[in-house]
Amino acid sequence: MPGSGPAYLAGLFGDREVAAALDGPAQLAAMLRAEAALAAAQAELGLIPATAAEAVAALRPPEPGELAAATERDGTPVPGLVAALRAQLPGPQAQWLHYGATSQDIQDTALALCLVEVLRVLEDRLQRLGDALAALAEAHAGTLVAARTRFRTATPTSFGLTAAVWLTPLVRLRAQLAELRAEVLPVSLGGASGTQAALGPRAREVEQRMATRLGLPVAPLPWHARREGVAEAASWLVRLSGALGKIAQDVVLLSQSEVGELRLAGAGGSSTMPNKQNPTAAEAVVALARANAQQVGTLFEAQLHAHARDGAAWQAEWLALPEICIRTGAALRHALALVEGLEVRVERMRANLDAGQGLWAAEAASFALAAHMPRAEAQALVKAACREALDSGESLTAVLRRRTDAPLDWAALADAAAQLGEARAMIERAVAANAALPVARP
Amino acid sequence: MPGSGPAYLAGLFGDREVAAALDGPAQLAAMLRAEAALAAAQAELGLIPATAAEAVAALRPPEPGELAAATERDGTPVPGLVAALRAQLPGPQAQWLHYGATSQDIQDTALALCLVEVLRVLEDRLQRLGDALAALAEAHAGTLVAARTRFRTATPTSFGLTAAVWLTPLVRLRAQLAELRAEVLPVSLGGASGTQAALGPRAREVEQRMATRLGLPVAPLPWHARREGVAEAASWLVRLSGALGKIAQDVVLLSQSEVGELRLAGAGGSSTMPNKQNPTAAEAVVALARANAQQVGTLFEAQLHAHARDGAAWQAEWLALPEICIRTGAALRHALALVEGLEVRVERMRANLDAGQGLWAAEAASFALAAHMPRAEAQALVKAACREALDSGESLTAVLRRRTDAPLDWAALADAAAQLGEARAMIERAVAANAALPVARP
Amino acid sequence: MPGSGPAYLAGLFGDREVAAALDGPAQLAAMLRAEAALAAAQAELGLIPATAAEAVAALRPPEPGELAAATERDGTPVPGLVAALRAQLPGPQAQWLHYGATSQDIQDTALALCLVEVLRVLEDRLQRLGDALAALAEAHAGTLVAARTRFRTATPTSFGLTAAVWLTPLVRLRAQLAELRAEVLPVSLGGASGTQAALGPRAREVEQRMATRLGLPVAPLPWHARREGVAEAASWLVRLSGALGKIAQDVVLLSQSEVGELRLAGAGGSSTMPNKQNPTAAEAVVALARANAQQVGTLFEAQLHAHARDGAAWQAEWLALPEICIRTGAALRHALALVEGLEVRVERMRANLDAGQGLWAAEAASFALAAHMPRAEAQALVKAACREALDSGESLTAVLRRRTDAPLDWAALADAAAQLGEARAMIERAVAANAALPVARP
Amino acid sequence: MPGSGPAYLAGLFGDREVAAALDGPAQLAAMLRAEAALAAAQAELGLIPATAAEAVAALRPPEPGELAAATERDGTPVPGLVAALRAQLPGPQAQWLHYGATSQDIQDTALALCLVEVLRVLEDRLQRLGDALAALAEAHAGTLVAARTRFRTATPTSFGLTAAVWLTPLVRLRAQLAELRAEVLPVSLGGASGTQAALGPRAREVEQRMATRLGLPVAPLPWHARREGVAEAASWLVRLSGALGKIAQDVVLLSQSEVGELRLAGAGGSSTMPNKQNPTAAEAVVALARANAQQVGTLFEAQLHAHARDGAAWQAEWLALPEICIRTGAALRHALALVEGLEVRVERMRANLDAGQGLWAAEAASFALAAHMPRAEAQALVKAACREALDSGESLTAVLRRRTDAPLDWAALADAAAQLGEARAMIERAVAANAALPVARP
């Protein structure tokens, strides 16, 4: 809403491109596109004069603020918009504007158009982020790093695999875009109560031609009162911001002072501590993702849309959906900058791995020992050796060599690089899945 | 949780079949299936003795309550389960159980198995509900009823179209089931940190054979720390309960005393007012849908899963997902009973439509008049006639005939059945879309 | 955020006064007030030169947009603000600005100041709304209307009691304002890590003097990382918008075509149906309340504020709290206009009550009959009579008189006004509780 | 709900005591207490026979499961309960049970009774947790530890201050308990539609005597349709679980491998990695807090309770509130065990502080230098010295001494213990605030 956010937060939480696809001028322009497509379709079928359709196509929308009072009165900007547009038209043509449509038809069609544009902006960034992550995954396929499970150092992994884990949900999300566009956001043209009665006997043809002109699909029947498409689009957005939140949270944690395995470009300063570099963008992505996950329920609940049109349920969508779009856009913008500016500190990763007396070898050692003794005995032996290593400061393999004469390949056990299992193949599969996605239209 | 819900609420909020797919015994049985499939796959490849796999296949899970203390200590039931199972195995075979797997592999694979079963239960009901709605839509394709928009009587529609609007989201949801099964819920087999290191060089083969045995897909890399699949499944469930909530809310409103167009089978009684029949099941569906829409954010947020495994984020899923399943199941069960037991009061629908001095003809009259005068003038004339009709108690068409000599087809205008526009064709498309869905496996 | 909401929605969802208390200029001005109060307190104690404090007091904040880039980099506007302010100060004095404080001190103190102003705006409206509801309750203490329970006509009540039920939660909320101000929103002055180390040995005195100057309380220790106050303030706001949502939802339902007991001033029009008047403002209040109830969880979750400062948790507050304030303000503004413009249609209330064959008398009849027969028998008799009345169209009391010779006071039974029980006394208590509240400062 | 949670999760997510206050038998027993108190009050006033009240007092509630079918039909267990109880009474007395009450009166009064018991259980634990945190804060008032702000090492603080920060929200929450009991959860006795009509002319006296017997307050008018009390109670619970979540999240982070400053008693094991100890209980508290923060919106939204009784809104409370109670109880139980079992590793805290080349002195050094040069110059000097220290591995003070001849007290600067500012006084204030709270009744 106007005034709801201080301008100094525009860079942190705002998104110029996404906002431009959804702001007042954009939505009014889309409403006008909807009216023009309707009029053109009706003119093609001889239902209204061709000159009227041409006149509608030449209209210009009013300033959004001019419609505030009418929108507050009517609960939708469309009656005010139609009145303002009719005032621009000569009398005989004014009547053919909005002919047979209801406000919700125009506003929901405009929403579909705006969301398609939002998806285009996001798809482009998603593709770039996917490519950046794929490159990161390949570049660090062999970079050893300690896996942390439940905030405890576990076995070695590669940083490339971490990047591939970040990438994989984005591949799924990108793959769903085509269906989102084809199924979820159709043209809306139901007329007053969803029967298309005022549109006349060729209503379906009008709807189909209008949809074709706008590049939108048609639905079997109007979506005035069934909002599953809005809910599905919202769910896609919030799954995306959640997937970005995972990346960002890992970045915060891997860059924390005590870990220090990642450094961020452009990290923010402190007003009083000259030594600090703060992970601002990563924090923002986490905050945006969590705020989205709370707000999105509004869109699921808005499916409880009473009767043939429910003003409160409909308005609730407008409160939640544009924000979720913008938050997702801002999160994606920050995530892209984060990943592209990531400094991977390979030596620190290695040093951290080695810092724990090589306890990361515990699992591998217990598997290796199990070839020479019962597994339970092997696990008990390793557990005791872990404790001794922690107490004495020796490496786990040194302690184990003293405690057992089982003929293990001690060099391999001490070599974290030998413990990466399928990491490289996994990375290749993730990268290939990303590469197989269709390229976004420019 | 044990004790979290009074047993007297079992019929209202519980769901025997869905709960049976997710309860303690079901989840432990699924964990054991996961262990057995892993062992069988490893035995096939010669990685563990065939006798060990056979012994694992013959194991029986413990009582869930026996694992409560271990689960509270470990944060997952699997270590306690594995210990209890190993105690049943002869020493040499005990070591091959859970060989190379981590707790999360077993628990998440079990989750996938349980969710597949939940989806099976829901799909069957969804199909029956879809068919019931399709039948209702066809039976009442010509049943006149007032559309209500924004809680105001609008133009006539048919009750069949209302039923078709209820049906359409369910068609989309059913159509997504195949992909949910094929993409969203794969087998989990990553080992300690997601590299499959302890599974040996044939890890991918093991994973694929294990998946085939369980009827689950495989993913390009483990989903330990990427939870988009859980989020997507949750979103499907909540979109479903939201779609059911829309039906139920309409039923509450159409059966309210002042509307009375629907009556419900089995409506509940009052403890003090002998005249009342309450819409209990419909209320429950609304309540379940709203509670789901609030809780589901937990699953989107759980995507912010730190590092290679995050205990808190993982546990949060267990708090939210089973409940959402059960609530959705209960909502679907009630919705099915509601729709199957719906008494459609055709005369009351007609009487209500006629009660408003035929104001429903206002839109049609203004379109008809617009053929004889400028549209703005036509609308003003109709608006004034509406006011006069409301004041005088006459019908709108009677007032209009007095106020204009435009040669309208007054009989058609007074005939609500002539105002249904495309309703019948819409119903046919919705019914056809439902009929085109694949039939659920028995 | 800038661009997040179309300007045409400003009247529907925005709130000029609340936004003005929270927008960029307001927050920067409050940050500057915080800096000035800190400097003045330090100067009073001789810790910094008096001329420096005077120079700080004379500063003017920059335009919010000028700080967008710095805020995006730093994750808080304060470092950029301090730099911009220092550039206005002569070198020797620049160093005393922000002396010993951390960014969070200034930003959180400003938040407290802004929220106090928001509460002032809301309190004033709350008082007016309370008075309007009290007047409505008293005026309609004897206005008969059907109570609806579970969307079914129940026994008679008075519309004044409905208004008193709307009023009562607002009384509680207003009564909590004093404590909110005194306890929940203290000054923040912890320094870099919350120890006040850089503030020197008289830090507590500085904090207390700063608080006094700003009219804020002090806390036992800094609230950098404990956010229960923000959560409590948010909970107050959302309880308020929920209480308003109840009023608005009742207004939607009582003004629906089939009930028609309330009419709204300034109801909105339809773009195609000349006969419709839509309950726009009431719908907006419902939508705002539901959206708030979803988003507020962000503030409860933001209590999980890691370590001594958590950028993500802190930022999440900024995403959610200002919007909740504005939504609550808009809801309160609409609710006030709704209640002040309500047309209570006394005859229609009475007509609706009478329309149901007097079934509202069922409970009273069964109690009266129970003086002459066992209660179960009385209830069964009434139930059967209800069914007969519904079938025959007779009044319930007419049917009952035929079915029993119990010597009831039939006139009293048929007199809904005699069935109001304690309604009048309840109204008086609610009105008195409202009148006993302290009057808001002008 | 029955079956909604596997029994193996009982220790992790369940709470025996809280569940026992809310489970089926407890709620039915409370409903029966409500009926008995009503009957006793009516008998005292001569409105029903004393023998009837005695008979009611002697009743025993049925098994909860026996009421499942009736509850599913009626949407509340009370009609079924009343019928089951009446079947136990001799005919003439059966009619005096539930005399003049409605189902909601009994169920909501029972809810109030159960919540009072829940609060008693929680208060006792809160007090113990508060005392444990106060003791921890005092014991570690001088224990040096690095403060972390935004996941970066900042200036020194004391671990005691961290504990005092954990404590402070709990003090506020405990202080609110008395008012919660006195204001928020009154007896419910409105009769069919909230007018107390069927209760006769002495209804208010009945209500007051019933309340006194039950130890509950009375409200100015019934709360059937105003649910602000439920919302306020829920908000208290979720603010509590949020405050506990903060403690637990800090514990997870301070015990992570790379920090290692806390160790947890009873930490859980891994199924495959013998070296790991997982922070299970702390993870559970975080998960419970986040799940609560999502679900609680249901209770705020349930304030949108239509008309005089709204089945869906009322049922939604039953879905959300008991779980929130149990989750909060489980979180409090775990938090208490966590804090009581915390091993504070003082040396590791000190070692971590020293590990960063003493960069924690940066802020203090810049303030000290600012006495000898302009502050901007001092900050630039310190920033450059920080970078040099990080590159060279020297301590910050060593670098600074080389770079400046300002006569600083270098020993004090290098002494973290001298940097604690007001920490000790803050701890004392927090501990005193805790000690000043009223002691819970045994």
Side-chain angles (χ1 to χ4, degrees), chain B residues 63-417:
Chain B
E63 286 301 306
E66 293 170 24
L67 299 179
T71 306
E72 185 175 3
R73 182 190 64 227
D74 298 330
T76 153
V78 175
L81 171 67
V82 168
L85 294 174
R86 282 199 178 127
Q88 295 179 39
L89 290 169
Q93 289 175 347
Q95 64 188 305
W96 304 113
L97 172 71
H98 192 69
Y99 190 79
T102 195
S103 296
Q104 197 176 10
D105 291 329
I106 299 308
Q107 195 172 335
D108 280 350
T109 297
L111 176 67
L113 291 168
C114 291
L115 286 179
V116 165
E117 173 61 10
V118 169
L119 293 181
R120 194 197 58 74
V121 172
L122 298 182
E123 182 173 24
D124 178 64
R125 292 182 198 168
L126 251 180
Q127 182 171 309
R128 284 193 285 151
L129 178 58
D131 292 348
L133 288 170
L136 195 65
E138 287 186 311
H140 290 283
T143 300
L144 285 168
V145 67
R148 278 93 182 179
T149 56
R150 304 175 68 187
F151 285 90
R152 302 293 180 263
T153 299
T155 60
T157 186
S158 86
F159 181 67
L161 183 54
T162 298
V165 168
W166 294 345
L167 168 61
T168 299
L170 306 182
V171 172
R172 168 95 185 133
L173 286 158
R174 267 181 68 197
Q176 293 181 309
L177 275 168
E179 199 184 346
L180 265 188
R181 289 193 190 95
E183 295 281 343
V184 170
L185 302 166
V187 77
S188 179
L189 189 66
S193 304
T195 60
Q196 299 185 323
L199 288 156
R202 300 182 72 182
R204 184 67 171 175
E205 283 173 88
V206 173
E207 183 184 3
Q208 283 166 327
R209 284 169 188 259
M210 179 182 171
T212 302
R213 286 180 167 270
L214 296 170
L216 296 176
V218 294
L221 49 76
W223 53 288
H224 288 171
R226 54 180 187 87
R227 312 303 290 181
E228 72 276 12
V230 175
E232 188 169 346
S235 135
W236 185 90
L237 290 161
V238 179
R239 287 187 285 126
L240 171 53
S241 64
L244 302 172
K246 152 71 175 163
I247 301 174
Q249 185 156 291
D250 280 355
V251 168
V252 169
L253 292 169
L254 293 173
S255 70
Q256 70 179 107
S257 298
E258 295 86 357
V259 176
E261 298 178 356
L262 295 178
R263 269 201 193 138
L264 320 179
S270 155
S271 70
T272 183
M273 289 174 284
N275 53 315
K276 287 192 60 191
Q277 293 291 321
N278 293 314
T280 302
E283 293 165 338
V285 177
V286 170
L288 291 158
R290 292 203 189 274
N292 263 4
Q294 289 277 358
Q295 186 70 84
V296 70
T298 303
L299 283 319
F300 294 112
E301 238 188 314
Q303 291 182 273
L304 280 79
H305 191 107
H307 290 310
R309 183 169 309 121
D310 178 337
W314 192 29
Q315 286 184 24
E317 294 178 4
W318 319 340
L319 282 163
L321 190 59
E323 282 191 13
I324 287 174
C325 290
I326 291 171
R327 288 176 183 170
T328 305
L332 188 46
R333 183 167 56 77
H334 288 309
L336 187 55
L338 259 186
V339 168
E340 289 179 345
L342 219 50
E343 180 191 338
V344 181
R345 303 180 71 201
V346 175
E347 291 79 19
R348 181 71 183 258
M349 289 179 174
R350 182 70 212 217
N352 284 341
L353 191 57
D354 292 339
Q357 281 92 35
L359 293 192
W360 51 261
E363 190 203 32
S366 76
F367 274 86
L369 285 166
H372 305 280
M373 64 188 76
R375 196 176 171 199
E377 197 178 308
Q379 284 197 307
L381 172 59
V382 173
K383 203 161 196 168
C386 285
R387 276 196 222 97
E388 186 179 335
L390 283 168
D391 287 343
S392 69
E394 284 171 289
S395 83
L396 173 62
T397 43
V399 175
L400 277 174
R401 288 182 87 151
R402 199 168 56 235
R403 280 176 168 247
T404 181
D405 50 7
L408 304 193
D409 180 349
W410 295 105
L413 259 187
D415 178 13

Side-chain angles (χ1 to χ4, degrees), chain A residues 253-269:
Chain A
L253 293 169
L254 293 172
S255 68
Q256 69 178 110
S257 298
E258 296 84 357
V259 177
E261 298 177 357
L262 294 179
R263 267 200 194 142
L264 318 180

